Amino acid sequence: MRRVSVFGATGSIGVNTLDLIGRAPQAYRVVALTGGRNIALLAHQARSLRAEVAVTAHEDCLAELRAALQGSGVEAAAGAKALIEAAHRPADWVMSAIVGAAGLAPGFAALRHGSTLALANKESLVAAGALLLAEAKAHGARILPVDSEHSAVFQALAGERIEEVERVIITASGGAFRDWPLERLQAATVAEASTHPNWAMGQRITIDSASMFNKALELIETREYFGIAPEKIDTVVHPESLVHALVGFRDGALMAHLGAPDMRHAIGYALHWPERADLPVARLDLAQIGQLSFRAPDPERFPALRLAREVMAIGGTAGAAFNAAKEVALDGFIAGRIGFMDMARLVESVLSDMSSRQGLGNAARSLDNVMATDAEARALGRERISTGRI
Ligand code: NAD
Ligand code: MG
């Protein structure tokens, strides 16, 4: 029986992960499940999969979690420390599906035990890619990508040599506003930005898809995870979301990965790797689909893509600053404090504030180093929002 833990179990990726695990419960022993304020769902998951421990990120939810788990034999815990402790419980496979930089510390802890880390939390790679890979290497642990594009690249690279890769293209659906004119974007509402044409995902990544900050994170994620030079990485808008990524080789061959827009593909691949298993996902009927379309992203409507290039050029801790500034900008947009296009303006201002100081391009020496950069970017971003200097 494989011991598995799921961080962010109550979110979109977490629920899909437990859907796959729950289809073969005899094959798994569920160690830890974690969530936020949706205690009813967390307790239901923990009871039905007989988890060892359920952890809520919020200490004020502990009493409710305890009550919901009464008599089940599942331990209850709460708070940031409890999350890390849960990550120290030995497990063979750990899903990292907390949203945001909050997912970093549990991922590091899991790697220290040599667990295979299925990484949906792209923020970890953007903020601390080099450290995370070094941690995995030091403990003989493996990181498997769960983002659909990166799982696709990983699969296209199987049996290939990385030196022979000429380019990597990750596709973008274009999000909710792919056909909106630039003039309308600033007035876009949170509700409008929270709908996705093809994927059902958590609200934050859905809004990041509308602004293409998600693709910006994914460009950096590609660079960090596969070690491919930024100039070899590109993105193309593909409204159907059926081709997830393409890898081009020195002989001109381009290997594409296709599949239905269902995260259980990428999650299932990481869960069963290096084998493949039957997955409950729709099969594509190409004749019925008829056509696939591609177009270049509009740099004016999606400045986040240019910012990602700047971050990759700076290197070092710029990714941590970028991710944190993006999280603060997104909070500001969701709270109605800044407009849609202000998110990119704010991130750009924070990056420029921070790059005028020394050291942004220096490699992070430790997770504390990363978290200090993260905290500085958040403070600068919040200050700019509250003083209206965006
Ligand atoms: P979600 O918002 O649906 O779920 C997030 C989970 O994290 C929930 O369980 C929530 O309780 C928990 N959480 C939130 N803030 C937390 C905090 N501060 N501390 C501890 N736990 C916290 O998000 P999601 O869409 O499932 O995305 C999860 C991660 O996977 C993100 O990094 C996202 O970028 C990535 N991802 C998601 C998809 C997708 O299809 N949803 C695809 C690719 C990558
Ligand atoms: Mg993706």
Side-chain angles (χ1 to χ4, degrees):
M1 275 212 296
R2 284 173 84 199
R3 296 164 303 173
V4 298
S5 288
V6 180
F7 287 79
T10 56
S12 165
I13 292 286
V15 166
N16 278 308
T17 305
L18 294 183
D19 172 70
L20 293 180
I21 288 171
R23 285 165 193 263
Q26 68 291 347
Y28 303 99
R29 204 174 95 213
V30 177
V31 179
L33 298 180
T34 85
R37 295 198 180 276
N38 190 347
I39 299 301
L41 177 58
L42 179 62
H44 168 74
Q45 292 174 327
R47 276 178 180 273
S48 53
L49 292 167
R50 299 170 189 279
E52 263 175 37
V53 62
V55 187
T56 160
H58 308 283
E59 289 184 25
D60 57 330
C61 293
L62 181 58
E64 188 188 343
L65 182 61
R66 276 207 182 111
L69 290 173
Q70 187 98 50
S72 65
V74 182
E75 287 171 57
K81 242 180 90 188
L83 276 176
I84 312 237
E85 279 165 17
H88 281 293
R89 294 194 183 214
D92 304 301
W93 188 89
V94 175
M95 167 56 77
S96 167
I98 287 175
V99 62
L104 260 168
F108 269 88
L111 288 175
R112 267 170 221 147
H113 294 275
S115 309
T116 293
L117 189 67
L119 195 64
N121 181 266
K122 63 192 86 186
E123 297 89 343
S124 295
L125 279 168
V126 172
L131 283 178
L132 198 74
L133 295 179
E135 195 74 18
K137 202 169 172 197
H139 299 281
R142 188 172 281 277
I143 301 175
L144 295 172
V146 173
D147 220 345
S148 56
E149 298 77 4
H150 304 76
S151 174
V153 172
F154 188 74
Q155 294 180 51
L157 282 173
E160 304 286 354
R161 286 170 44 196
I162 199 84
E163 313 85 74
E164 291 174 337
V165 171
E166 197 170 65
R167 58 182 175 148
V168 170
I169 304 167
I170 58 173
T171 60
S173 67
F177 304 143
R178 65 185 172 211
D179 298 318
W180 283 36
L182 178 59
E183 315 78 71
R184 268 185 79 192
L185 284 179
Q186 173 67 2
T189 65
V190 174
E192 286 165 335
S194 302
T195 58
H196 197 283
N198 306 332
W199 295 91
M201 310 186 284
Q203 186 192 29
R204 297 181 73 86
I205 183 175
T206 302
I207 300 176
D208 282 350
S209 296
S211 63
M212 285 239 195
F213 264 111
N214 181 49
K215 213 46 58 180
L217 296 176
E218 290 181 359
L219 289 171
I220 304 171
E221 183 185 6
T222 307
R223 199 250 170 304
E224 294 296 325
Y225 184 82
F226 299 102
I228 291 175
E231 59 276 15
K232 291 184 174 179
I233 308 169
D234 209 352
T235 182
V236 66
V237 175
H238 167 49
E240 295 87 356
S241 291
L242 299 175
V243 178
H244 303 303
L246 307 97
V247 178
F249 294 92
R250 59 192 291 189
D251 58 358
L254 199 51
M255 306 289 281
H257 176 283
L258 285 80
D262 183 331
M263 283 309 292
R264 290 176 304 178
H265 262 301
I267 297 166
Y269 187 77
L271 182 61
H272 297 290
W273 184 90
E275 286 162 22
R276 286 188 186 266
D278 297 339
L279 294 178
V281 297
R283 270 48 178 174
L284 298 185
D285 179 341
L286 293 177
Q288 201 191 358
I289 293 159
Q291 286 191 344
L292 298 174
S293 54
F294 302 93
R295 60 182 191 241
D298 175 353
E300 269 192 83
R301 288 191 301 144
F302 301 114
L305 299 176
R306 170 177 53 80
L307 296 177
R309 300 263 169 218
E310 291 173 14
V311 167
M312 290 191 282
I314 301 169
T317 56
F322 178 66
N323 179 63
K326 195 272 320 169
E327 289 191 28
V328 168
L330 182 57
D331 292 339
F333 175 66
I334 292 174
R337 300 186 73 189
I338 63 173
F340 185 76
M341 294 302 281
D342 292 332
M343 288 193 281
R345 284 188 202 107
L346 179 67
V347 172
E348 185 157 20
S349 320
V350 170
L351 276 176
S352 111
D353 285 351
M354 291 187 67
S355 54
S356 60
R357 301 172 198 193
Q358 287 245 305
L360 189 65
N362 294 349
R365 291 176 306 278
S366 66
L367 191 53
D368 287 347
N369 220 202
V370 169
M371 294 322 288
T373 304
D374 173 287
E376 187 182 349
R378 275 174 210 270
L380 284 167
R382 289 197 186 111
E383 188 202 310
R384 280 184 171 270
I385 292 179
S386 56
T387 55
R389 285 184 314 117
I390 295 161

